[in-house]
Amino acid sequence: MAADYFLGVDAGGSHCRARLTDGDGRVLGEGLTGPANARIGVERLRAVLDEAIGQAVAQAGLDAAAVATIRAGMGIAGISRPGALDALRALDFPFAATHFGTDAAIANLGAHRGRDGAILILGTGSIAQVRVGGVDFAIGGYGFPISDEGSGAALGLSAVRHALRALDGRSERTALSLAVADRFGHAIPQAIAWMDRATPRDYAALAPLVMDHAEAGDAIARSIVEDAAGHVERFIETIFERGAPACALMGGLSARLQPWLRARTVARLTAPAGDALDGALLLAGLKR
């Protein structure tokens, strides 16, 4: 039986989104829930997916027979972890077909409408996703703190390091160090206690502060952002060296970091043609 409906799901570390369309791409229903990456475990992941999908199906008013015709494409963060894909494939989704990929892969599909190209995602973490000759691969994205260069988490980590060094007199106190230290009562033990439980998202929450002070001329903040921009430049160079015909920046930090890149680098970038849910729908088989 030909599929009557297509479902796209973008399940990431911050939220899970679902979009349900008909065969012409008209949006019939959408859903939004909380974090849904593979690291939370398959049972919790399934619950979050079901909630987002259920919202979209309810908005569309589909019955069980119609749901059975759906072809789904799901991009899920952390799916490359050992055993994650097998566990997802073992789940009994009530659809005609279900295809899985990483959240970065569907973002790249959406950005270039399924054609060859690349994206560099600059958010809490960083990763480049590339498609060349129809073959998909990633560059970077190994996880914080060993990787995620140029990301919000990396900016925040550098800011905390600077604040601690300034507190014990090993580096100059600047407006940035004082602003970060103020969050810990200017007490190193409090900062250490925070670091004991801090997540990449906690570090990334400091990134806007770093950017604000860099744009205001704080010397240390500028050096942190310039270092991040250097990593972004190298990412982009590598993307083109690996054969990608185009590259788009994505992620919450991309707009603020782009002005720190060289003009010749910015000139090579293209705007995304679509979002991750567009890519998930392409993965599902929707023709655009």
Side-chain angles (χ1 to χ4, degrees), residues 85-104:
L85 181 56
D86 288 340
L88 283 165
R89 285 174 172 162
L91 297 176
D92 185 24
F93 288 101
F95 308 133
T98 306
H99 304 281
F100 298 102
T102 67
D103 56 336

Side-chain angles (χ1 to χ4, degrees), residues 176 206-218 221 225 256:
L176 174 64
L206 296 171
L209 187 68
V210 179
M211 296 302 308
D212 289 345
H213 283 279
E215 291 160 3
D218 182 281
V225 175
R256 295 198 74 174

Side-chain angles (χ1 to χ4, degrees), residues 108-109 114-119 129-137 243-245:
N108 193 35
L109 284 173
R115 296 184 294 273
D116 281 2
I119 56 170
Q129 185 69 34
V130 188
R131 168 169 279 211
V132 176
V135 177
D136 298 302
F137 59 92

Side-chain angles (χ1 to χ4, degrees), residues 121-283:
I121 302 174
L122 301 171
T124 297
S126 64
I127 187 172
Q129 185 69 34
V130 188
R131 168 169 279 211
V132 176
V135 177
D136 298 302
F137 59 92
I139 300 172
Y142 311 127
F144 182 81
I146 196 67
S147 183
D148 288 341
E149 301 91 344
S151 71
L155 289 179
L157 176 60
S158 293
V160 172
R161 284 174 172 162
H162 167 54
L164 290 173
R165 290 168 185 158
L167 280 172
D168 65 19
R170 285 183 291 153
S171 71
E172 175 189 359
R173 294 192 177 193
T174 70
L176 174 64
S177 72
L178 292 171
V180 174
D182 189 56
R183 299 191 175 206
F184 309 116
H186 298 267
I188 290 175
Q190 288 188 35
I192 293 172
W194 177 86
M195 289 186 292
D196 284 341
R197 61 181 184 276
T199 66
R201 191 184 302 182
D202 293 328
Y203 282 101
L206 296 171
L209 187 68
V210 179
M211 296 302 308
D212 289 345
H213 283 279
E215 291 160 3
D218 182 281
I220 297 296
R222 286 186 62 87
S223 70
I224 292 172
V225 175
E226 287 167 357
D227 180 69
H231 285 292
V232 173
E233 295 266 4
R234 185 57 190 144
F235 257 123
I236 295 168
E237 290 169 2
T238 305
I239 284 167
F240 285 108
E241 288 169 1
R242 297 290 297 273
C247 177
L249 293 186
M250 301 183 76
L253 193 57
S254 60
R256 295 198 74 174
L257 272 179
Q258 184 165 317
W260 294 80
L261 305 179
R262 293 175 296 182
R264 67 184 187 188
T265 299
V266 174
R268 304 181 78 182
L269 300 174
T270 58
D275 66 9
L277 283 176
D278 291 318
L281 289 163
L282 288 169
L283 181 65

Side-chain angles (χ1 to χ4, degrees), residues 71-89:
R71 293 189 179 275
M74 301 188 188
I76 300 175
I79 200 173
S80 57
R81 295 167 67 88
L85 181 56
D86 288 340
L88 283 165
R89 285 174 172 162

